[in-house]
Amino acid sequence: MGENAELRAALAKLGFKQEELAGEMNTALQRLTGKTGSFSDRTVRNLLDGSTRRPTGKTRIALESVFGRSIAELGFRPPSSEALREDSVLRRRFVTATTSIVASSAIPTGSSPSPKRIGTQDVERLQERFAEIIASDHRHGGQRDIEVKAAGMSGEALALQESGSASQRVRSHLHASAAAFRSSAMWAAIDGRRYDAAIAHMQAAQHLAEMSSDAAIKFRIWSHAGTMYRHMGRHTDAAAANQVARNLDLNRRDPMFASLGLARQGAIHGAAGDKNATRRAFHDAQVAMDRADPLAYRPVWMNAFFDQAELHSLALSAYLELGDHARAEYHAHQCLASLRPHMARSKAISTSRLARAQLEQGDLEPAIKTAMSVSRDAAMQHPRVAGMLHVFGKRLQALAPASAEAATWSQYALDTRKAGL
């Protein structure tokens, strides 16, 4: 008997405490049975310290749902053949109860149940759930519950593989769906500044994407990786990861993907302080976007966020990093003028950056008004926005410590913190 290092590492990467993992397992079980589970701190301790070495039944499925990984990958002994047969029944019930993907059919008394056939309709239902994750991310962004839900849905997409027979094409789509959910968990962790968790999700997503052979989801994962490393200050890794996305043949088939890859490369150049490379990248990104067919089919995640407003948003980030505050302000106004209504997170981020660009140009009053227009929900709950506004306050104090604007902002920030208590 010994400590389960794999499970402890997975727990740490998701940022869960023991009681939080027990709660997530209970939630998974509630979806399975309709009743609240009884997993507790003791359950998790037994899993972590090695007392439970081969979890089966509801425990196994709840764990795999929360982490989106097999029980063996979590450091446990593989289940026996008998346990696998029992888990197969539970897993089918889990998929049906949780996602309404596998339709139940009435079986006449005395007849044997026929194997379930998984088809394109099941994949479409998964894609509907994925669209819900995307929409939630654009409204809130960076929240741990989005990350956990997306990771759980990845596990459920994999569970569907075991619930019946399917063509190779459908199985490829299921792996792509699992990878897509994982990439959303990765993005939520990046947006929330939980980088250890983001890296774990990235590794799982890359593995699933390879099994799917889906070029679009590979692009998304590697492009996200570039953004993650940029936020971490690892500019060489950021450029290398983004280049993997840009090297996919998808960029040659659809200029919209080429545009996104170039724009994110421009943001990386900006963070690295390369002005000429930044300007070239954004020029080329605009040219590629102008060439793209607006009616071409693209995945839901691409259609949901990448447009002219996002191109301006990435340019805003790059030029702010370069210290070209006038150009950054221009891109901020262009972005905010063309943002779609559902992009609440993007609006808060771009508004915070606009305030900083105005401040650095000495426009104190407009900067204060802009910063105070960021929604309080975003200012209190979104880690990136909260961090930007904190830096804004520090810069204001450094540039004009005795100004009326500095006093106004200090009082506003204090009131905002109190409102969040």
Side-chain angles (χ1 to χ4, degrees), residues 129-143:
R129 296 298 298 276
F130 181 58
E132 293 171 6
I133 294 284
I134 294 294
S136 181
D137 179 64
H138 286 307
R139 285 194 302 271
H140 308 293
Q143 301 304 307

Side-chain angles (χ1 to χ4, degrees), residues 68-114:
R69 298 165 65 181
S70 73
I71 212 71
E73 290 174 316
L74 292 171
F76 296 103
R77 292 170 57 189
S80 64
S81 298
E82 181 180 355
L84 279 174
R85 286 194 295 272
E86 293 175 356
D87 285 357
S88 179
V89 175
L90 285 169
R91 198 179 287 278
R92 285 196 292 272
R93 290 172 58 201
F94 181 80
V95 173
T96 302
T98 309
T99 65
S100 300
I101 293 171
V102 181
S104 60
S105 58
I107 301 172
T109 303
S111 65
S112 299
S114 59

Side-chain angles (χ1 to χ4, degrees), residues 82-397:
E82 181 180 355
L84 279 174
R85 286 194 295 272
E86 293 175 356
D87 285 357
S88 179
V89 175
L90 285 169
R91 198 179 287 278
R92 285 196 292 272
R93 290 172 58 201
F94 181 80
V95 173
T96 302
T98 309
T99 65
S100 300
I101 293 171
V102 181
S104 60
S105 58
I107 301 172
T109 303
S111 65
S112 299
S114 59
K116 293 184 182 296
R117 180 71 176 174
I118 308 165
T120 55
Q121 288 185 337
D122 303 314
V123 174
E124 289 168 0
R125 293 189 185 99
L126 273 176
Q127 291 171 340
E128 289 173 3
R129 296 298 298 276
F130 181 58
E132 293 171 6
I133 294 284
I134 294 294
S136 181
D137 179 64
H138 286 307
R139 285 194 302 271
H140 308 293
Q143 301 304 307
R144 184 169 288 168
D145 61 341
I146 298 174
E147 177 191 346
V148 171
K149 183 177 181 181
M153 285 302 302
S154 178
E156 291 166 25
L158 291 176
L160 186 56
Q161 294 265 17
E162 301 179 23
S163 69
S165 61
S167 67
Q168 184 55 46
R169 179 172 174 272
V170 167
R171 293 201 181 281
S172 178
H173 284 313
L174 290 176
H175 278 117
S177 293
F181 283 119
R182 268 289 178 171
S183 67
S184 283
M186 173 188 175
W187 179 252
I190 293 169
D191 213 20
R193 295 297 191 262
R194 299 181 294 276
Y195 295 123
D196 285 347
I199 290 170
H201 292 308
M202 176 187 71
Q203 292 168 344
Q206 288 168 339
H207 175 68
L208 292 166
E210 286 301 320
M211 290 191 288
S212 76
S213 301
D214 186 311
I217 198 58
K218 289 181 185 179
F219 180 98
R220 187 183 196 222
I221 294 162
W222 282 105
S223 186
H224 280 351
T227 300
M228 176 184 70
Y229 289 128
R230 171 167 63 88
H231 287 318
M232 295 172 71
R234 294 167 55 176
H235 303 138
T236 301
D237 289 338
N242 194 62
Q243 192 61 43
V244 175
R246 292 184 59 210
N247 285 341
L248 293 167
D249 188 59
L250 183 66
N251 294 269
R252 288 176 284 279
R253 298 198 307 269
D254 187 346
M256 190 63 86
F257 282 89
S259 178
L260 175 55
L262 283 162
R264 283 183 164 162
Q265 198 75 7
I268 293 166
H269 289 316
D274 191 331
K275 294 182 179 180
N276 290 333
T278 299
R279 290 173 183 150
R280 283 196 303 271
F282 281 110
H283 172 269
D284 293 345
Q286 186 64 64
V287 170
M289 178 173 281
D290 292 342
R291 288 194 297 110
D293 179 359
L295 301 179
Y297 170 79
R298 297 182 182 95
V300 62
W301 61 265
M302 183 70 156
N303 290 331
F305 93 102
F306 190 60
D307 54 12
Q308 189 66 62
E310 179 64 15
L311 187 54
H312 282 299
S313 175
L314 287 165
L316 160 61
S317 173
Y319 287 112
L320 198 59
E321 291 277 4
L322 287 170
D324 190 342
H325 300 116
R327 194 181 296 267
E329 182 177 1
Y330 164 79
H331 285 291
H333 287 301
Q334 294 298 311
C335 171
L336 291 169
S338 52
L339 266 178
R340 287 173 279 175
H342 71 275
M343 304 290 283
R345 176 198 58 196
S346 295
K347 181 180 180 181
I349 290 172
S350 295
T351 303
S352 301
R353 286 174 172 159
L354 171 58
R356 176 71 183 279
Q358 292 170 327
L359 174 64
E360 297 294 346
Q361 295 176 84
D363 298 330
L364 301 188
E365 186 175 351
I368 292 293
K369 289 181 178 178
T370 300
M372 291 173 64
S373 73
V374 176
S375 75
R376 282 200 169 184
D377 281 348
M380 291 186 295
Q381 298 178 17
H382 193 291
R384 285 172 66 189
V385 174
M388 289 175 187
L389 294 178
H390 176 70
V391 172
F392 173 86
K394 290 180 66 175
R395 286 295 294 156
L396 178 57
Q397 286 294 332

